[in-house]
Amino acid sequence: MKKITTLLIALILLSTISVLAQTVEIRGVVTSEDDGMAIPGVTVSVKGTTMGTTTDMDGNYSIKVPSETKTLVFSYIGMKTQEIEVSGRTQINVTLESDIQDIDEIVVTALGIKSEKKALGYSTSEVKSDELIATRTDNFATALGGKVAGLNITNTSSQGGSGTRIVLRGGSSITGSNEPLFVVNGVPFDADNEGTSSGLADIDPNSIESLSVLKGAAASALYGSRAANGVILITLKSGAMDSRPKVSFKHTSSFDQAYEIPLQKTWAQGVFDFSAQDWTYIDGDNQYTSSSWGPRISDLDGVDYYDRWQVFKTGYTSDNTFSVNGGSDKASYFVSYTNTMNDGVLDPLSYKRNSVNANTSFKFTEKLTVSSNALYSSQDIDRFEESNNNYTFMNTFLASPPSWNPNPIYREDGTIRLYRGGGREPYLYMLENTGNNIKRERFAGSVTVEYEIMKNLNFRSVTGVSTNHYTYENYKNKGGLVNTEGTYERGTRFSKDIESTEMITYDNRLGDFSFDVMVGHNIVQNYWEDMDFDGTGLVVANIYNSSNVSNYTASSSWGQFRSWSLFGKASIGYKSMLYYSITGRNDWASSIKNDYFYPSHSFSFVFSELMKDNEIIDFGKLRLSYAKVGAPASAYATNVVLQQASSSDWLGYSWPFNGQNSYLPSSTYPNEDLQNEFKSEIEGGLEMKFFNNRLGFDLAVYKNWSDNQILWQQLLNSTGYEGGYINIGGITHKGIELVLTGTPVKTSNFSWDITFNWSKDKSRVDDLGENDEPIDLGSAGYAIVGQPFPVIYGDAFLRDDAGNLVLSDEGDQTDGRTTYGRPIIDPRGKKILGKIEPDWIGGIRNSFRYKNLTLTTQIDFQKGGLVVNFDEHYLTYYGMSSLQEDRPEDNRIVFEGVMGHYDYDTKQVVVSDQNNSAWTYYSSYWQTVCQSTNEDNIQPRDFVKLREVSLTYSMPSSVTQKLHVKGIDLTFSGRNLWRKFKDEFTGPDVETNTGGIDNGNAWFNYSFPAMKTYSFTLGLTL
């Protein structure tokens, strides 16, 4: 036995020596021929095998190969692949050449089809994954701001998890949604994007591999009835076959600081005593007033300025991401988990998210590959309501006098202290006695089957299922000054979406011609249900539950939508120079009786193919396209829907009737002839690259027109309906988009890359139906025929024909005057007060790399556009606006304008004196006539922002190898660290819209302050 054991050990040792003798380790460095710089991420493989590795951050590689290995293959995107003979060497350094024709050639287009970018006859934009995570945001959509020409981003709030308004090329629907379609791994994704939260935050930015923006109708035409607003394609990260397991961990610590909203800090609580002609101080404890029209704080003994902003703290967010990926010769995998924990700038505020993403791919045979993706996310948000309601935190926070100290919250007798005589809740009280909680839970999964039927003929199927569960709770404790009895509200929303797309593609070359054909079909089913509970009168304080209320109302609803489609595409190319593509899609939907066909045509001419010997021009392409797309009618828009009879219905009857509840048909007329909205677009473009791709530009011009708008039309009561939806109205947009790219400096140790984008969209409302009546879009925006979309519309000050402000020449002219010398509201009706959308928007991104150090900055800017700062409507009344900091000592002001009045008999403006010298009371102006118009509250939306700054240090391989890791990255970053508005703007941020995701987009009131964020990130690759 001992001899046998000895023999076995000897055999094992001999085998090991033999194997070691047959294995050789080859090392080297890979650099670029252009500048001599090291290239990280180059794939180094043994020809004819699955053995391989990649170069590190310094371009170094090391690979153990069999001793009989003859050839190594070096490949990298944008570089020519090289095959190098080993010839017994153990040190092989390689220099790769640029392959200009391959750079950015393959892009993802509609339905996940991969196409040559030079063959596209329309504009697309790509955003790299590292650009989305350069600085920390809750929502990847927020990070898109300033990165894509023609994309306009506004936020509903700075609170964690809030929604983001996203519009491409100005929007095409008057009252419908203007949000683009989101597609994740080939399956449309329900954004469920609203003011207080967003389903887009379910997608972890760390899991995104690439993002493509299809802005024009031709680019998105294959999505038919869902393509009117453009498409954003998201591809999640996946593993690679024939790759070793790679484990990555990333931690980010972020710190949020609130920008102070400008307020006056000079004048104390009080009123102007007209009899004494002086400011009078009121302390807010023994006497009460909502006004800060008192004396200067510095003139009062024992009275100090109170800094309200000390209640805000530095918010902290911890992000941790763990991922692992790899693959064999037949399979690949990628799994990631991210945990986000945010402690907000106020103690009750928080945001928590957990997300998991798993991608797998299996190559069962040489012809059959099956891939799967599973995404799970949960969000838990604690936030405050933002509105002008009397119980919102920012209401009393901003309106409180600067001389009033809110501490303590309670008097000695236990009653609540407040500087005014009721009608509001003290803001410190609300920190513990009001709140809003939102929970989201999402699962989205898809399976992709790809089968090669025969050479050049392929089948592809993508089937996805998504469930989304949303719950909100809104509570106010009993015992408050406004909510004396307390309230509790709860609602749930559940949706399930099933979608399947199958297609067959054929592509081939015949001499100088290339062509491809695709046909396919799509089927969709959406189901949703809602339940709402509104309770009043808490039985026991501090317990927020449906069983702890005295009275309640409840409601529920459900619905379903189905559609199916046939589509196809045919393309032909000639000598890689001329390309023409045609697509068509026909949609059938359950919401309407008719089916609709959506065509597109696109053409591209790569004229640089005629200039191959040109040393300056590397690439040049002209493109032209036309397409027609649509926006669907909502489910049940053409059906009779039963609704529970309300306490007083639109016909004037009261319910319950004789003690009985009832269900009645909806007051909306079921228009069986309702059709989809349509959008047509013509787009042209020019794309060029110069000097070995060191300089380039992409120019797009477009005109689109939307008609058949689905709008509400009021009907006579004799019809039996209050109104109904009909197809009327239209909008036209004309625009230009420009992207410039350059690499001004590129050496072996230093490089500078710059990207500049700029866009301008000009809109016009063409038609709003028979009477062309203005349409209220919400958030202070209106659609008005002949005007840009949208505009601010409302009561205005009276002016003469020359545009001079008319000041009243009527009324008492003594010290007791009330109207004399004061502006007048124009009695002739509402006026157009300004355009909401900007004249143009843009962004500039710079990236500087020196050895292992990379500095990236992004500056965004906007010119033009207006917003209604409704904070000023209230703050100017209270005397708290920063515009009132330098108020006249005698409370008297002389306005520039002419003296006059409006003659109701002749309906004319009468001017009595061209030179005004009449004074009026400053405080009274703000508290009377100014409250009847928003004209004084309209402010410019221009801005320049330092949107992003990041500094990353990648440790060299000489350090990481000693630490037994593949890579270590350290990043310091900041977001919104600096901003510049016009002096006239006094709100929290020009990009805020308190009204949520609506088409008005021009109003904020008592919104939370904007934030600046500082972050530190540690990334490890094992």
Side-chain angles (χ1 to χ4, degrees):
M1 184 68 183
K2 185 176 180 181
K3 292 182 179 180
I4 294 175
T5 302
T6 302
L7 181 61
L8 286 173
I9 293 174
L11 288 172
I12 291 172
L13 289 173
L14 288 172
S15 298
T16 302
I17 293 171
S18 175
V19 169
L20 291 174
Q22 296 172 15
T23 301
V24 178
E25 183 176 17
I26 301 175
R27 296 176 176 271
V29 61
V30 182
T31 57
S32 169
E33 183 186 56
D34 295 338
D35 52 21
M37 294 172 58
I39 308 177
V42 175
T43 299
V44 183
S45 60
V46 178
K47 185 176 181 179
T49 73
T50 60
M51 299 178 62
T53 186
T54 57
T55 58
D56 62 19
M57 290 301 298
D58 299 316
N60 297 312
Y61 74 93
S62 173
I63 184 172
K64 291 183 178 180
V65 301
S67 59
E68 66 270 17
T69 296
K70 295 182 178 180
T71 307
L72 292 182
V73 180
F74 296 80
S75 61
Y76 187 73
I77 296 176
M79 298 287 186
K80 293 181 179 179
T81 299
Q82 289 196 37
E83 296 186 2
I84 306 296
E85 297 297 324
V86 175
S87 301
R89 293 178 293 173
T90 58
Q91 180 74 29
I92 300 177
N93 297 328
V94 177
T95 300
L96 296 183
E97 302 176 20
S98 294
D99 188 352
I100 296 172
Q101 297 301 317
D102 286 342
I103 294 177
D104 293 331
E105 228 177 29
I106 304 300
V107 295
V108 179
T109 61
L111 300 177
I113 300 171
K114 293 182 178 180
S115 303
E116 289 183 293
K117 187 172 183 179
K118 66 180 180 180
L120 302 181
Y122 47 79
S123 172
T124 65
S125 296
E126 292 77 43
V127 180
K128 299 177 182 178
S129 59
D130 57 349
E131 294 180 16
L132 294 174
I133 59 176
T135 58
R136 201 204 75 81
T137 60
D138 295 332
N139 187 332
F140 77 88
T142 305
L144 289 176
K147 294 181 174 68
V148 178
L151 178 64
N152 200 345
I153 302 284
T154 54
N155 299 310
T156 60
S157 173
S158 64
Q159 295 190 71
S162 297
T164 302
R165 182 177 183 269
I166 308 157
V167 177
L168 287 163
R169 293 185 174 176
S172 60
S173 182
I174 294 175
T175 59
S177 171
N178 280 307
E179 185 173 75
L181 174 68
F182 290 86
V183 179
V184 179
N185 278 15
V187 180
F189 186 88
D190 179 13
D192 196 16
N193 193 21
E194 58 183 28
T196 55
S197 65
S198 175
L200 294 176
D202 290 331
I203 303 174
D204 176 23
N206 295 287
S207 295
I208 296 177
E209 177 68 32
S210 63
L211 184 148
S212 299
V213 182
L214 310 182
K215 293 176 283 189
S220 55
L222 280 172
Y223 291 102
S225 296
R226 294 184 287 181
N229 303 318
V231 180
I232 295 180
L233 302 175
I234 299 170
T235 302
L236 300 179
K237 291 180 179 178
S238 59
M241 293 186 183
D242 297 324
S243 62
R244 295 179 179 179
K246 183 171 71 174
V247 179
S248 299
F249 172 77
K250 186 174 76 170
H251 168 79
T252 299
S253 286
S254 300
F255 305 89
D256 298 324
Q257 292 181 348
Y259 278 104
E260 290 189 15
I261 298 173
L263 298 169
Q264 71 89 2
K265 302 179 181 181
T266 303
W267 305 87
Q269 183 177 4
V271 297
F272 184 77
D273 188 333
F274 291 97
S275 60
Q277 289 289 295
D278 201 3
W279 313 101
T280 301
Y281 171 64
I282 293 177
D283 64 8
D285 280 315
N286 300 298
Q287 293 178 303
Y288 309 100
T289 181
S290 61
S291 300
S292 294
W293 294 106
R296 292 179 181 272
I297 297 175
S298 59
D299 293 340
L300 297 172
D301 293 333
V303 179
D304 297 314
Y305 165 76
Y306 180 78
D307 182 11
R308 72 196 68 215
W309 292 99
Q310 61 187 293
V311 70
F312 281 85
K313 63 178 184 178
T314 298
Y316 174 72
T317 304
S318 172
D319 282 289
N320 292 287
T321 298
F322 173 84
S323 68
V324 57
N325 67 86
S328 65
D329 59 335
K330 298 293 184 182
S332 66
Y333 59 89
F334 175 88
V335 180
S336 69
Y337 166 72
T338 296
N339 170 261
T340 299
M341 300 287 286
N342 166 256
D343 183 17
V345 293
L346 290 172
D347 284 329
L349 305 183
S350 67
Y351 176 72
K352 306 178 186 70
R353 179 179 63 197
N354 290 280
S355 59
V356 177
N357 178 48
N359 280 326
T360 60
S361 183
F362 296 92
K363 191 172 183 179
F364 289 99
T365 69
E366 289 300 316
K367 292 189 174 185
L368 177 64
T369 301
V370 178
S371 305
S372 67
N373 167 249
L375 179 154
Y376 171 80
S377 175
S378 66
Q379 299 183 58
D380 190 342
I381 309 168
D382 283 311
R383 55 177 289 124
F384 278 145
E385 181 179 336
E386 294 171 273
S387 72
N388 56 10
N389 288 331
N390 294 341
Y391 46 75
T392 59
F393 175 85
M394 292 302 294
N395 185 319
T396 48
F397 177 82
L398 293 179
S400 296
S403 58
W404 187 72
N405 188 329
N407 294 296
I409 300 174
Y410 300 95
R411 299 185 181 92
E412 293 183 359
D413 61 2
T415 59
I416 298 174
R417 287 181 66 243
L418 186 64
Y419 62 93
R420 54 181 292 164
R424 302 289 189 277
E425 305 285 14
Y427 62 86
L428 294 183
Y429 168 85
M430 282 185 280
L431 290 176
E432 298 179 355
N433 292 279
T434 65
N436 178 241
N437 177 262
I438 297 173
K439 289 182 173 65
R440 287 179 173 271
E441 192 169 21
R442 164 104 62 171
F443 170 78
S446 65
V447 175
T448 300
V449 178
E450 296 173 293
Y451 182 75
E452 183 182 4
I453 301 171
M454 55 184 292
K455 184 179 180 181
N456 302 324
L457 183 65
N458 296 278
F459 169 80
R460 186 170 186 260
S461 171
V462 181
T463 301
V465 178
S466 174
T467 61
N468 185 21
H469 193 273
Y470 169 97
T471 303
Y472 78 88
E473 290 183 303
N474 194 5
Y475 61 87
K476 301 169 187 66
N477 202 4
K478 67 185 301 184
L481 298 176
V482 177
N483 285 281
T484 57
E485 299 301 321
T487 63
Y488 174 72
E489 302 169 359
R490 178 183 172 87
T492 62
R493 184 170 68 238
F494 172 79
S495 65
K496 180 170 69 175
D497 304 322
I498 302 174
E499 181 149 355
S500 184
T501 301
E502 282 73 40
M503 65 182 79
I504 293 177
T505 60
Y506 179 79
D507 62 271
N508 207 341
R509 296 192 66 90
L510 187 61
D512 292 332
F513 291 90
S514 63
F515 56 91
D516 64 82
V517 179
M518 179 271 292
V519 294
H521 86 97
N522 168 261
I523 186 168
V524 177
Q525 176 174 295
N526 307 128
Y527 171 82
W528 63 91
E529 59 184 39
D530 301 272
M531 297 186 67
D532 293 286
F533 175 93
D534 295 331
T536 59
L538 297 184
V539 178
V540 180
N542 295 309
I543 296 179
Y544 307 110
N545 189 282
S546 58
S547 63
N548 188 45
V549 296
S550 302
N551 302 286
Y552 72 89
T553 59
S555 62
S556 64
S557 65
W558 66 273
Q560 187 169 268
F561 173 87
R562 287 179 176 173
S563 70
W564 73 283
S565 310
L566 295 175
F567 53 82
K569 175 188 175 184
S571 301
I572 186 169
Y574 176 68
K575 288 189 173 182
S576 298
M577 178 175 62
L578 293 174
Y579 296 91
Y580 170 72
S581 178
I582 181 172
T583 72
R585 174 167 174 143
N586 207 88
D587 288 346
W588 292 262
S590 62
S591 59
I592 48 178
K593 67 179 182 181
N594 298 321
D595 61 289
Y596 298 99
F597 179 72
Y598 302 101
S600 82
H601 305 266
S602 62
F603 169 80
S604 69
F605 171 35
V606 186
F607 57 83
S608 55
E609 290 293 316
L610 302 174
M611 311 163 65
K612 289 187 176 181
D613 295 330
N614 192 295
E615 297 182 357
I616 297 177
I617 299 176
D618 301 318
F619 180 79
K621 181 180 76 170
L622 285 168
R623 59 178 186 262
L624 181 67
S625 65
Y626 164 80
K628 182 179 180 179
V629 291
S634 60
Y636 308 109
T638 62
N639 299 93
V640 176
V641 179
L642 292 179
Q643 294 180 338
Q644 184 176 3
S646 61
S647 58
S648 179
D649 66 24
W650 63 281
L651 290 174
Y653 295 101
S654 297
W655 300 91
F657 187 76
N658 292 333
Q660 295 295 318
N661 279 319
S662 178
Y663 282 86
L664 296 175
S666 165
S667 60
T668 299
Y669 171 68
N671 182 4
E672 295 182 357
D673 296 321
L674 193 68
Q675 301 179 18
N676 279 357
E677 295 184 356
F678 299 121
K679 172 184 173 181
S680 301
E681 185 172 66
I682 297 174
E683 178 186 319
L686 173 63
E687 183 179 354
M688 297 193 72
K689 296 180 182 180
F690 309 91
F691 308 116
N692 216 15
N693 286 312
R694 295 280 292 272
L695 178 66
F697 72 84
D698 189 341
L699 175 69
V701 293
Y702 62 87
K703 177 182 178 181
N704 63 59
W705 56 100
S706 303
D707 51 19
N708 233 41
Q709 296 277 318
I710 300 174
L711 302 177
W712 173 268
Q713 183 77 33
Q714 189 171 358
L715 300 175
L716 295 174
N717 285 354
S718 59
T719 64
Y721 297 96
E722 185 178 5
Y725 291 101
I726 61 176
N727 294 110
I728 53 175
I731 310 175
T732 298
H733 287 269
K734 298 177 181 178
I736 181 170
E737 298 164 351
L738 175 65
V739 178
L740 300 175
T741 58
T743 305
V745 181
K746 190 173 184 180
T747 68
S748 58
N749 289 325
F750 179 78
S751 65
W752 172 22
D753 296 310
I754 184 170
T755 302
F756 170 85
N757 74 80
W758 178 90
S759 60
K760 178 181 179 65
D761 180 85
K762 185 177 181 180
S763 62
R764 184 182 186 274
V765 178
D766 300 318
D767 178 28
L768 290 177
E770 183 177 348
N771 299 318
D772 282 337
E773 291 290 333
I775 295 178
D776 187 350
L777 306 174
S779 295
Y782 281 78
I784 298 178
V785 171
Q787 296 296 319
F789 177 78
V791 293
I792 300 173
Y793 179 66
D795 291 320
F797 292 121
L798 183 67
R799 285 178 165 79
D800 66 10
D801 293 339
N804 297 309
L805 194 65
V806 177
L807 308 169
S808 177
D809 60 2
E810 299 175 328
D812 185 5
Q813 299 183 31
T814 67
D815 286 352
R817 66 184 61 183
T818 55
T819 60
Y820 189 74
R822 191 176 301 170
I824 306 167
I825 299 299
D826 194 331
R828 294 171 294 187
K830 294 182 177 181
K831 308 291 182 184
I832 296 169
L833 301 176
K835 180 172 69 77
I836 293 171
E837 292 305 303
D839 298 331
W840 49 262
I841 58 176
I844 182 168
R845 189 175 184 87
N846 286 280
S847 180
F848 306 91
R849 189 195 66 81
Y850 176 70
K851 293 186 177 180
N852 293 348
L853 198 64
T854 303
L855 173 66
T856 302
T857 65
Q858 180 178 316
I859 297 175
D860 296 349
F861 39 83
Q862 174 173 301
K863 174 68 171 63
L866 298 171
V867 64
V868 176
N869 181 349
F870 213 63
D871 288 355
E872 293 293 347
H873 175 79
Y874 294 103
L875 297 180
T876 52
Y877 179 91
Y878 299 137
M880 280 303 302
S881 170
S882 61
L883 300 174
Q884 299 164 331
E885 192 85 59
D886 297 325
R887 63 188 62 168
E889 296 285 350
D890 59 359
N891 198 26
R892 296 183 180 187
I893 184 174
V894 178
F895 285 95
E896 291 186 11
V898 297
M899 297 296 288
H901 61 275
Y902 180 77
D903 190 319
Y904 286 87
D905 294 328
T906 63
K907 298 185 177 4
Q908 297 293 321
V909 175
V910 178
V911 176
S912 58
D913 189 350
Q914 291 286 347
N915 300 308
N916 173 51
S917 60
W919 60 266
T920 189
Y921 287 113
Y922 181 78
S923 61
S924 297
Y925 161 73
W926 294 107
Q927 293 188 319
T928 55
V929 65
C930 193
Q931 296 299 304
S932 300
T933 177
N934 279 330
E935 186 172 346
D936 258 351
N937 306 323
I938 296 174
Q939 298 183 344
R941 235 171 180 166
D942 307 64
F943 72 82
V944 178
K945 291 186 177 183
L946 180 57
R947 183 77 74 185
E948 296 179 1
V949 177
S950 66
L951 180 64
T952 299
Y953 177 70
S954 299
M955 288 192 179
S957 58
S958 58
V959 175
T960 57
Q961 288 177 357
K962 294 178 181 179
L963 298 174
H964 304 289
V965 296
K966 294 181 179 178
I968 301 177
D969 292 332
L970 301 174
T971 301
F972 295 91
S973 62
R975 184 172 180 82
N976 294 326
L977 299 186
W978 176 84
R979 58 186 193 168
K980 175 63 177 176
F981 307 134
K982 282 195 170 182
D983 293 340
E984 301 94 315
F985 182 79
T986 59
D989 197 285
V990 296
E991 295 181 289
T992 295
N993 183 54
T994 312
I997 314 296
D998 60 25
N999 293 344
N1001 191 42
W1003 178 81
F1004 59 80
N1005 188 204
Y1006 294 143
S1007 292
F1008 263 69
M1011 302 293 160
K1012 63 177 73 172
T1013 302
Y1014 303 88
S1015 301
F1016 167 75
T1017 300
L1018 169 65
L1020 294 176
T1021 302
L1022 307 179

